[in-house]
Amino acid sequence: MSTSKNELPFSSSNYVMMLVGIAVILAGFLIMTFDSEEFGFGFLGLTLGPIVTVAGFIIEFWAILRKPANS
């Protein structure tokens, strides 16, 4: 397992996927704030927002665990 000192731990595609995951997580929280029901108990606050947020976390885990194509 020889790695050079200047080698980054992730490839550029990993970093792009991490940014996409962060954007999806933020979009999920933003969707939850658009719920017009009292205390956020509508469809956006209880169903759609959390699903989008969890999808963002799944994208993050996939981006971290994915091996670079050149190795």
Side-chain angles (χ1 to χ4, degrees):
M1 184 164 163
S2 64
T3 59
S4 76
K5 259 186 171 177
N6 297 330
E7 188 176 328
L8 294 174
F10 299 114
S11 69
S12 62
S13 64
N14 290 84
Y15 288 116
V16 169
M17 288 306 298
M18 286 180 198
L19 290 175
V20 169
I22 289 171
V24 171
I25 291 169
L26 291 176
F29 281 114
L30 189 65
I31 289 170
M32 286 189 261
T33 63
F34 289 145
D35 197 357
S36 61
E37 294 291 322
E38 187 176 4
F39 302 115
F41 287 138
F43 173 74
L44 294 177
L46 286 177
T47 307
L48 185 62
I51 289 173
V52 171
T53 304
V54 168
F57 280 110
I58 290 171
I59 292 170
E60 283 294 317
F61 288 131
W62 179 75
I64 292 171
L65 295 177
R66 184 175 171 264
K67 278 188 154 185
N70 57 0
S71 63

